Amino acid sequence: VHLDAADIKDAPTLLRRLFLLYFVLDYSILAMVPKPRRSNVYCAPLDNTKASKLKRYPNRTYDKGFDIDKIVSTRPTKKDFLEMFYKKKYEDIPDEIRNHYNEARYHGINFHSLGQHGTVEIRYLEGTLDAHTINNWIALHQHIVDSARVMREIDSIELFHVKGPKTRIRKFAEMTSMPDYILEFACSRIDEFKN
């Protein structure tokens, strides 16, 4: 799923806020998908402790995860956000953005597509033809993107300390007036795939 984020692309404060919110919700979103999706290098977790356990190639560790302290300490400029996201010096980033298969795209949430398409790509969900799942999945992520525009970073940090994937998504729903049907969908997915 690609969500239009062209207005966020050149708004570094919003970009960082959205990235931080996805970093915090990654824990709950991963609980909504089958186990193979949680340990897959093509939709890797954002948290560096989880992402570092994945093997991209037989003898090479996948090392594209992030740390909440690094995200929060990144200054709200496009240059600083891009350096944090690509883990490269700013002058090398245009080449990274032009590389369609850059490893930065292989997270559950792909911000790499902003540079090429002006969208944020949601990669977490397994393949499905179920219209109910697809529509609710899109609604969930549209709500997250819309919430990032109004949520303060301090609220995301508070949310980060909430334990349990279902408890965290419920707290997020409370903080953002998430529609009940989206919360019910998220909680039912967590129940379905808990193990």
Side-chain angles (χ1 to χ4, degrees):
V1 174
H2 283 261
L3 297 175
D4 182 15
D7 60 327
I8 293 174
K9 179 180 175 181
D10 294 315
T13 300
L14 272 179
L15 188 56
R16 186 179 76 171
R17 213 184 281 170
L18 179 60
F19 188 80
L20 176 62
L21 184 55
Y22 263 103
F23 179 89
V24 169
L25 292 175
D26 190 60
Y27 172 56
S28 296
I29 296 168
L30 287 170
M32 293 179 212
V33 298
K35 194 170 184 175
R37 297 298 289 177
R38 293 180 225 160
S39 57
N40 184 317
V41 295
Y42 298 103
C43 55
L46 290 172
D47 187 293
N48 61 2
T49 57
K50 294 175 186 168
S52 66
K53 295 176 182 173
L54 303 178
K55 296 288 185 185
R56 178 77 166 99
Y57 299 104
N59 297 319
R60 189 170 131 214
T61 302
Y62 185 82
D63 63 353
K64 292 294 183 181
F66 301 91
D67 177 87
I68 192 164
D69 295 330
K70 178 74 172 158
I71 298 166
V72 171
S73 67
T74 299
R75 293 180 308 175
T77 68
K78 189 172 182 180
K79 173 185 181 282
D80 289 308
F81 178 82
L82 290 171
E83 285 184 343
M84 181 272 300
F85 181 71
Y86 286 103
K87 300 182 183 211
K88 302 274 184 182
K89 293 287 184 202
Y90 189 70
E91 51 273 6
D92 298 328
I93 291 174
D95 290 335
E96 300 296 320
I97 292 171
R98 282 191 295 274
N99 177 1
H100 178 71
Y101 296 104
N102 184 284
E103 280 196 340
R105 76 188 289 233
Y106 296 115
H107 289 286
I109 179 81
N110 171 16
F111 282 81
H112 180 64
S113 65
L114 270 173
Q116 296 182 331
H117 310 293
T119 63
V120 173
E121 180 189 16
I122 315 301
R123 300 176 61 94
Y124 295 98
L125 189 65
E126 72 281 4
T128 183
L129 296 174
D130 180 60
H132 177 264
T133 299
I134 294 167
N135 288 332
N136 284 304
W137 190 255
I138 293 168
L140 169 67
H141 290 282
Q142 187 62 60
H143 181 77
I144 294 169
V145 171
D146 291 344
S147 296
R149 298 172 198 282
V150 294
M151 258 183 96
R152 301 172 307 162
E153 287 186 18
I154 192 77
D155 296 328
S156 292
I157 294 166
E158 175 188 331
L159 191 59
F160 180 70
H161 296 290
V162 174
K163 303 295 181 205
K166 199 189 289 189
T167 307
R168 189 175 294 183
I169 201 75
R170 282 187 175 135
K171 179 68 174 172
F172 171 67
E174 177 188 311
M175 295 167 100
T176 62
S177 301
M178 177 189 283
D180 290 341
Y181 79 95
I182 298 175
L183 178 59
E184 288 167 15
F185 167 75
C187 290
S188 70
R189 293 278 303 186
I190 291 170
D191 288 340
E192 182 180 352
F193 296 110
K194 71 177 165 195
N195 48 9

